[in-house]
Amino acid sequence: MANPFTNVHIHIFNDECIPDRFLRILAPKFIRQNAPLIQKGLETKVGKFLVRTLAWAVSKDKNRGTAQKMISFLDIGTRNSQKEVFEIALAAGKITDSQVRIIALTLNMDYMDSQPSSARMISFETQLAKVMEIKRFYPHNIFPFLGVDPRHKSGTDMLNWAKKYFETGLKVDGKTYPYFCGIKLYPALGYFPFDARLHELYQYAEAHNIPVMTHCTRVGNQYVGNAIENLIPDAPKMIPFVDDEGIKDRIYARIKRFREEDGWIKNSDNGDNDFACDLFGHPENYIPLAKAYPNLKICIAHIGGSSEIDRTKINAKDKKAYETLLKADDFPNGKKTWFDYTIEVMKAHPNIYTDISYTLSDFEQKGVPPEKNVVLQRVITELLLAKDNAGKPLSRKVLFGTDFFMTEQEKHEAELYASTQATLAPWMDAIARENPQEFIMQPL
Amino acid sequence: MKNITQSSIIEVLISLTLIYALLSIFVSLLIEWWNSKRRTRQTMLQNAINQLLKDSLNLDYGALFYNHHMIAGLKNPESNRLPQYISSSMFAEAFVDVMAAQAIHTQKIRLSETNDKGKQYELEGDSPPENVIDRFQVAVKAMNTSPLKDALQSFIDKSMVKDVDGKKVLDYPTLKKNLEIWYNDYMERVGGWYKAKLKRKQYVFGFLVALLLNVDSLHLVKVISMDDSLRNSLVATAEKVADNYQKTADSLKSDNGVLLKVISSGIDSIKLKENLKDPIIKTKLAKLDSNFITKKAKMVLINDSISAKTISQTDSLLGIAASLNIPIGWSTKTAPLSWSWKKKLMGCGCNVKCTHKKGPGLQAYLDYRNHCTTWWNLFWYILGISISGVALSFGAPFWFDMMIKLVNIRRSGAKPQPSKDKE
C-alpha cells in the first residue's frame, strides 16, 4: 500500500504566537511602517473590514489582486487558534488523500524583535503545548517539527529542553507517535545554522534519525531587529567540522563584506534588513552541518526560491532590485544563484534534501504566458532527472511541501495541490509519498 | 428680569437634574456601545485571566484556558466575541482540566526499532493517571518551581481529606471551592480596575455628548429660569420620573432601557409618540445606500445586536429630549452656529456690531446670545459646555438620586405659584 500523501512544509502559528511588529517581515513598505496598527486592527471584525477596504483603495488596479491575497494571508494568520489554521490546511490536503500527513513547522519568534511585545503574545512553550494538543486530536495527520533558536537555549540546556518534546508522545490505534518528530530552523530570524550552540542538539538528532527542516530563500524575513551588529560578529563560532573546502573562509568573507559595504547594515525598526537575512540563510551555511553530521537529514527548503530559478522575473518587475541582487550575489564564488548553490550542496552531500514549497506557487501563474511558466517546470524536471556526485538520482531527495499559509499571498492551498499534481504528475508518488516517509520515518 | 425665588431655584435645579439624568443615559449608552465595539469587557477579562495564570517559568495557562472547549464554546460564532463573563464554577472546572491535560503531555516514549514501516516507538514509564483529579496533581508536581506552582500546591494541600482507609486524598469539591474563592476574590479586584477605566471614559464621553448635542449648562439655567412654562413642564415630568424611579427595583437601575422607560413615563404620551414617529438615526442610516462603501459601513454598524439596540435607544432618547423641549442641539439660528466669526475675524473685524442689547426677558436674552458674536459669549459658551461635560460624567444614577432629593425638598416646602403664562 502506498504511503500517505505528505506535505512536508506548512506553518500553523496564529497572531498570538507573533511579536507586535511581525508584519515587518512583509515586503510592502506601508505594511512594515504601520505593522503594529494593522495587526491591532485585524483583531476586530470592523478592523478587518477597514484594513481590507483601505488595502483595496490604496492599491492600484493591477495590484488589487495582490492586496486581496495579502489580506487572505493575514486573515488565516489571525484565526482564533493554531488548531483552526491547521484544520484549513488539513481540509485542503484531504481532497488529495484522506490520510494526508502534514508537517507543521513551529517557529520561535521570541527573539525576532528587540522591542518587547504586548502581553497578548504567548510564550514559545505555550505555542508548543497547543501544538501538542493538536497532535492529540489529529495524531495520524499532524507531524510537528520543533522550532529552535540558539538564543533561546544552547548546548546541553537546549538538548534537555528539546528531549521533552522528542521523547514524549502518545499511543493511538496501536501506533505510538512522538509529539515532535523533527527540528525546524529559520536562520533569517537572526542566527546562523552552523551556530556552535546547536552542536549537542544536532548530534542527538543525527543519532536518533530526527530530520531538520530549514528555510532557504533570499530575504525570507525582512526584519531582524535594530541591533544587527550584535547578531553578526566578525567570526561567529561554528560547530566542529572538517573544513577541507575553505568554507569557513568563504562564510567569514561574506560577513566581512556585509559589515564593510556602505548601507548594508540597516538597523531599522521598519524591517528592510534583506542583506542581513541573506547572510543568515545562505545555502552554503549548511555545508558545515552536512559535513559535521553526515547522517543528519537536512532539507534546504524552497530550492532557493522561484525568483532564483528564473531571475528574469525580478528583472522585469524591478530593475533596481535586480541590479542590487547581482551586486550582492555570489561573493566570493562568482555568479551563482541560490538555486545553483542548493543543487550543488545536494549533489555533494547525500544527507541534504530540498522541497518545492512556496516555489510551487509559481506553477501556472495566472496572466503569465505559457512559455514563461514552462521555465520553472523545466528546471524542476531537470532537477528531478539529475544525479548527485555519487551517481544517485536527486529525485529521491526532493519533497513536496506547500508553505501554507505563507502561500495564501499567491494561491489557495487546494490550488497548490492541484497545480503541482498537474505539473509534476510522474513524480508525485516519489516526492509526496516515498521521499517524505524516508525523511520523517514516522510509523506507518 | 423676574426675581428668582428660592422655590424657583429648586425648580431650575430639578429641571437640570432631569436633563442631566436623560443625557447621562446617552453617555452610558455610547460607552456601552464603544465598549462592545472595542470588546473592552471581554478583553479585560481575558487579560486578567492571562495575568492570573501566566507563569513565565512554565506556561501561559491563561492562553490554554481560553482554548478549553467549555470556554471556547462561549465565544459568539458570528462576531467571534469572547465571553464577557466566566462564572467561578466554570473557571474552576476548566482550569482543572487544562492543568490535567498537561500531565498527558508528560508520557515518555522511547525508540524501539526502525523498520520498513518507519521508526517504531513504545511507551515508557508510568502512564498518566486516568482520573482527571490525579492528573491535576501530577501536572502540578511536574511544573517547574514557580509562584503559581506554590499557589496550586497550597490549594491541593488545603483540599486533602481522609478517605475511609484514613489515607489522604484530594477532594475535588473542596479543591473546586478553593479555586472558586481564589477566582472570585481576584475578579473583585478586576471589577475595581474596570470601574476605574469606566470613570475615565465617562469624562471623555460626557464632553463628547455635551459637544455633540450642544449642551450649554449656563444657557440651560438661563432659559429654564426665564421660561416658566418650560420649567413647570420639566418639574412636573421630574416629579413623575422621581416617583417611578423610586418604584424601580435596584437591580434594574443600571439598565439604560429601563431608565429611558422611567423618564418617558413622565412625559405626555401623545407628544412622545409624535416625536418617536420618525426616528432620527434610523432614518439617516436608511438613506446611507448611495454606494458600496457606505452600504458596507452601514452593515457593519447595525449588524450586531448591541449597535441595533444603541441606535434604537438613542432614537428613543432623542424623542424624549424633543418632547421635553430642552434647548439643546445644533441649528444655524442658535449659538454658536449663528455667530459670524468669519466676518468678525476676516472681514470687518471688531466693527461687526451687535444690534441686540442685553435686556430683561427670554427673547432679549436669546437674541443677544444667538446674534452677538462676542468673546464673552464665546467664553460663557465654552464654560457652559465644560460644565455639562463634567456633569454628564457623573452618570445617570447620580442624577436620578439628586433629582429625588430635590423633588423631596420641593415637596416638603410651599406649593409653587402657578405660572403667569398659564394664567
Side-chain angles (χ1 to χ4, degrees):
Chain A
M1 205 175 87
N3 297 336
F5 196 94
T6 306
N7 178 350
V8 300
H9 199 129
I10 76 156
H11 299 279
I12 59 168
F13 61 82
N14 66 337
D15 60 350
E16 65 183 4
C17 309
I18 59 174
D20 292 351
R21 289 158 283 272
F22 172 80
L23 289 184
R24 285 175 185 160
I25 68 159
L26 296 176
K29 204 173 177 183
F30 174 80
I31 294 181
R32 280 191 275 122
Q33 284 174 341
N34 299 284
L37 192 69
I38 295 171
Q39 265 171 250
K40 193 88 191 148
L42 286 165
E43 285 173 18
T44 64
K45 210 172 170 183
V46 176
K48 271 185 189 171
F49 163 73
L50 286 175
V51 169
R52 196 180 283 269
T53 308
L54 194 67
W56 183 85
V58 299
S59 50
K60 292 172 193 161
D61 279 345
K62 63 176 182 179
N63 290 332
R64 279 202 177 131
T66 312
Q68 293 305 316
K69 282 172 191 166
M70 192 75 79
I71 293 291
S72 167
F73 157 73
L74 296 173
D75 199 31
I76 291 180
T78 50
R79 293 292 164 130
N80 293 322
S81 64
Q82 297 185 80
K83 182 169 157 277
E84 274 185 38
V85 179
F86 172 71
E87 282 165 349
I88 296 170
L90 181 62
K94 280 194 168 183
I95 297 170
T96 299
D97 184 347
S98 63
Q99 291 180 301
V100 67
R101 289 178 161 204
I102 294 174
I103 292 178
L105 307 166
T106 58
L107 287 178
N108 182 353
M109 287 178 266
D110 289 359
Y111 304 88
M112 185 178 173
D113 201 340
S114 45
Q115 294 158 282
S117 265
S118 56
R120 180 174 161 69
M121 185 183 176
I122 59 174
S123 68
F124 184 52
E125 277 80 2
T126 309
Q127 185 192 147
L128 299 176
K130 289 190 173 193
V131 173
M132 287 161 105
E133 283 294 289
I134 306 172
K135 180 71 184 173
R136 277 181 59 215
F137 302 142
Y138 299 102
H140 307 303
N141 302 111
I142 187 171
F143 292 85
F145 274 34
L146 184 70
V148 297
D149 187 318
R151 293 166 293 179
H152 173 223
K153 306 265 179 191
S154 64
T156 49
D157 190 25
M158 163 71 89
L159 177 59
N160 292 334
W161 172 81
K163 277 183 180 176
K164 281 196 305 186
Y165 298 98
F166 294 130
E167 295 181 4
T168 54
L170 69 170
K171 190 171 184 176
V172 188
D173 303 332
K175 292 175 192 168
T176 303
Y177 298 107
Y179 280 113
F180 287 81
C181 62
I183 293 167
K184 168 65 177 167
L185 298 177
Y186 201 100
L189 282 170
Y191 60 90
F192 291 101
F194 50 70
D195 195 306
R197 292 172 289 182
L198 296 168
H199 175 54
E200 286 83 351
L201 180 71
Y202 290 145
Q203 277 184 315
Y204 171 83
E206 185 184 33
H208 291 80
N209 213 345
I210 293 171
V212 175
M213 172 65 72
T214 184
H215 169 93
C216 188
T217 64
R218 284 188 175 277
V219 188
N221 169 27
Q222 295 267 344
Y223 186 58
V224 287
N226 60 5
I228 293 171
E229 289 95 332
N230 297 339
L231 283 180
I232 309 174
D234 287 335
K237 205 174 170 202
M238 291 188 181
I239 49 169
F241 71 103
V242 180
D243 190 10
D244 49 5
E245 293 176 45
I247 183 68
K248 206 180 257 188
D249 291 342
R250 293 213 294 272
I251 289 170
Y252 288 167
R254 273 194 202 102
I255 293 173
K256 189 166 179 277
R257 186 191 187 199
F258 169 77
R259 294 180 73 105
E260 284 172 358
E261 281 285 342
D262 195 27
W264 280 22
I265 294 179
K266 295 174 188 165
N267 281 321
S268 157
D269 277 335
N270 290 331
D272 204 16
N273 290 312
D274 41 0
F275 286 127
C277 293
D278 284 359
L279 206 55
F280 289 122
H282 198 283
E284 283 208 321
N285 291 350
Y286 296 96
I287 296 176
L289 274 77
K291 285 176 174 287
Y293 320 103
N295 294 315
L296 177 64
K297 289 173 198 155
I298 304 161
C299 177
I300 304 182
H302 317 301
I303 357 175
S306 65
S307 55
E308 289 290 282
I309 293 173
D310 182 7
R311 283 192 168 173
T312 53
K313 282 179 193 165
I314 305 177
N315 197 12
K317 203 174 167 186
D318 187 346
K319 206 167 174 59
K320 199 177 163 195
Y322 180 66
E323 279 163 8
T324 312
L325 185 68
L326 289 182
K327 192 182 165 199
D329 177 60
D330 310 47
F331 179 83
N333 306 52
K335 301 293 173 198
K336 261 190 212 170
T337 66
W338 278 31
F339 172 74
D340 299 333
Y341 275 121
T342 306
I343 302 306
E344 205 173 275
V345 180
M346 272 180 85
K347 282 182 175 175
H349 302 279
N351 55 332
I352 300 292
Y353 288 65
T354 192
D355 74 28
I356 57 168
S357 61
Y358 211 107
T359 300
L360 55 77
S361 64
D362 275 344
F363 288 146
E364 296 175 12
Q365 275 200 105
K366 281 174 194 166
V368 175
E371 65 274 15
K372 291 270 180 192
N373 272 326
V374 169
V375 176
L376 185 63
Q377 189 179 339
R378 179 173 50 77
V379 172
I380 291 180
T381 307
E382 281 170 9
L383 161 69
L384 289 162
L385 288 167
K387 295 199 167 157
D388 67 12
N389 296 351
K392 288 184 179 167
L394 278 188
S395 61
R396 70 183 180 86
K397 301 199 293 176
V398 179
L399 310 170
F400 168 79
T402 56
D403 208 4
F404 175 82
F405 58 97
M406 302 300 121
T407 37
E408 286 294 306
Q409 298 171 71
E410 315 291 343
K411 277 178 187 162
H412 293 305
E413 185 72 346
E415 289 176 69
L416 295 175
Y417 275 76
S419 66
T420 309
Q421 288 178 82
T423 310
L424 300 176
W427 307 97
M428 284 314 290
D429 275 356
I431 67 172
R433 294 181 190 272
E434 292 156 25
N435 301 347
Q437 175 57 16
E438 181 64 25
F439 185 64
I440 61 172
M441 300 285 284
Q442 285 300 289
L444 287 170
Chain B
M1 197 173 136
K2 188 184 159 187
N3 285 335
I4 300 173
T5 62
Q6 190 185 350
S7 159
S8 302
I9 292 172
I10 291 177
E11 285 172 8
V12 170
L13 290 176
I14 289 172
S15 306
L16 261 187
T17 53
L18 176 67
I19 294 168
Y20 287 155
L22 178 68
L23 298 179
S24 297
I25 296 173
F26 188 35
V27 171
S28 107
L29 268 177
L30 287 179
I31 292 176
E32 202 176 284
W33 176 79
W34 178 255
N35 283 348
S36 137
K37 283 284 142 204
R38 299 279 305 156
R39 303 178 183 204
T40 311
R41 270 176 196 272
Q42 297 95 312
T43 310
M44 192 153 189
L45 180 65
Q46 188 186 24
N47 289 344
I49 289 179
N50 281 345
Q51 184 182 308
L52 183 71
L53 304 180
K54 193 176 183 78
D55 186 347
S56 55
L57 292 159
N58 291 285
L59 298 173
D60 297 334
Y61 295 103
L64 299 174
F65 175 82
Y66 270 89
N67 259 21
H68 187 280
H69 190 69
M70 269 164 67
I71 307 302
L74 295 176
K75 196 178 267 189
N76 181 329
E78 279 184 14
S79 64
N80 207 16
R81 281 170 195 277
L82 293 166
Q84 291 193 8
Y85 172 75
I86 293 170
S87 71
S88 56
S89 169
M90 191 178 266
F91 167 82
E93 283 179 25
F95 181 61
V96 168
D97 287 354
V98 165
M99 291 305 297
Q102 302 316 306
I104 298 172
H105 297 163
T106 60
Q107 171 67 60
K108 290 266 179 197
I109 60 163
R110 70 177 182 85
L111 186 62
S112 57
E113 62 166 323
T114 303
N115 57 29
D116 58 345
K117 291 202 161 196
K119 292 195 273 189
Q120 303 301 315
Y121 303 87
E122 56 189 36
L123 300 180
E124 192 182 38
D126 294 335
S127 292
E130 291 196 352
N131 183 302
V132 70
I133 307 305
D134 294 337
R135 281 208 303 275
F136 177 80
Q137 279 180 279
V138 169
V140 172
K141 203 175 169 189
M143 284 169 75
N144 296 319
T145 305
S146 71
L148 182 65
K149 182 183 180 177
D150 290 347
L152 295 178
Q153 190 57 54
S154 165
F155 287 134
I156 290 173
D157 294 345
K158 287 172 196 163
S159 309
M160 288 289 187
V161 292
K162 283 186 179 170
D163 67 2
V164 283
D165 302 326
K167 200 179 145 194
K168 276 193 167 182
V169 290
L170 179 60
D171 181 51
Y172 178 63
T174 314
L175 174 70
K176 192 176 166 216
K177 198 178 146 202
N178 284 330
L179 290 172
E180 284 178 20
I181 293 169
W182 179 45
Y183 177 75
N184 283 334
D185 287 349
Y186 180 67
M187 279 302 133
E188 225 168 87
R189 295 293 308 273
V190 175
W193 302 337
Y194 184 74
K195 277 180 192 159
K197 203 172 177 181
L198 206 61
K199 191 70 207 159
R200 288 196 293 274
K201 274 188 193 162
Q202 276 179 319
Y203 282 115
V204 175
F205 279 87
F207 273 94
L208 270 179
V209 168
L211 272 174
L212 191 70
L213 297 181
N214 195 18
V215 185
D216 174 352
S217 285
L218 296 176
H219 175 59
L220 286 178
V221 170
K222 282 263 189 189
V223 173
I224 293 168
S225 61
M226 290 175 180
D227 187 340
D228 295 343
S229 153
L230 173 65
R231 191 172 68 245
N232 288 338
S233 135
L234 288 173
V235 170
T237 305
E239 284 187 331
K240 284 184 201 162
V241 169
D243 292 341
N244 287 332
Y245 184 73
Q246 279 173 310
K247 285 179 205 159
T248 309
D250 282 349
S251 58
L252 297 173
K253 283 179 179 170
S254 55
D255 185 319
N256 292 322
V258 171
L259 293 179
L260 278 174
K261 272 185 193 158
V262 167
I263 295 189
S264 57
S265 66
I267 301 170
D268 174 12
S269 57
I270 299 167
K271 211 172 173 185
L272 183 63
K273 212 172 169 185
E274 185 61 30
N275 283 313
L276 290 176
K277 207 169 65 184
D278 195 13
I280 299 168
I281 300 185
K282 277 184 187 163
T283 314
K284 287 221 185 287
L285 275 174
K287 287 177 186 166
L288 278 180
D289 277 344
S290 54
N291 64 49
F292 172 76
I293 302 252
T294 47
K295 232 179 193 175
K296 273 282 195 187
K298 185 184 151 193
M299 294 296 286
V300 169
L301 193 65
I302 63 173
N303 260 12
D304 69 277
S305 58
I306 302 280
S307 295
K309 192 175 120 192
T310 307
I311 289 167
S312 162
Q313 290 185 337
T314 304
D315 270 330
S316 305
L317 191 137
L318 295 176
I320 292 169
S323 307
L324 290 171
N325 288 326
I326 308 169
I328 59 172
W330 292 92
S331 157
T332 49
K333 289 174 186 162
T334 57
L337 293 183
S338 58
W339 292 338
S340 349
W341 284 102
K342 199 176 168 188
K343 272 188 196 169
K344 187 173 174 76
L345 297 173
M346 306 291 290
C348 36
C350 295
N351 295 333
V352 174
K353 285 196 176 163
C354 181
T355 53
H356 301 278
K357 299 274 181 208
K358 272 186 183 176
L362 180 62
Q363 196 51 52
Y365 160 72
L366 289 177
D367 286 343
Y368 181 76
R369 179 182 185 265
N370 292 336
H371 302 297
C372 290
T373 314
T374 67
W375 291 109
W376 271 113
N377 266 351
L378 179 66
F379 171 76
W380 292 121
Y381 173 73
I382 291 171
L383 188 64
I385 291 283
S386 305
I387 293 169
S388 303
V390 173
L392 296 185
S393 70
F394 292 164
F398 172 86
W399 289 114
F400 273 101
D401 289 340
M402 184 63 80
M403 187 165 58
I404 290 167
K405 281 176 193 160
L406 290 168
V407 165
N408 287 341
I409 291 170
R410 181 172 178 273
R411 279 174 179 165
S412 63
K415 272 213 158 198
Q417 294 294 316
S419 70
K420 277 181 186 173
D421 294 355
K422 280 189 179 173
E423 282 169 1

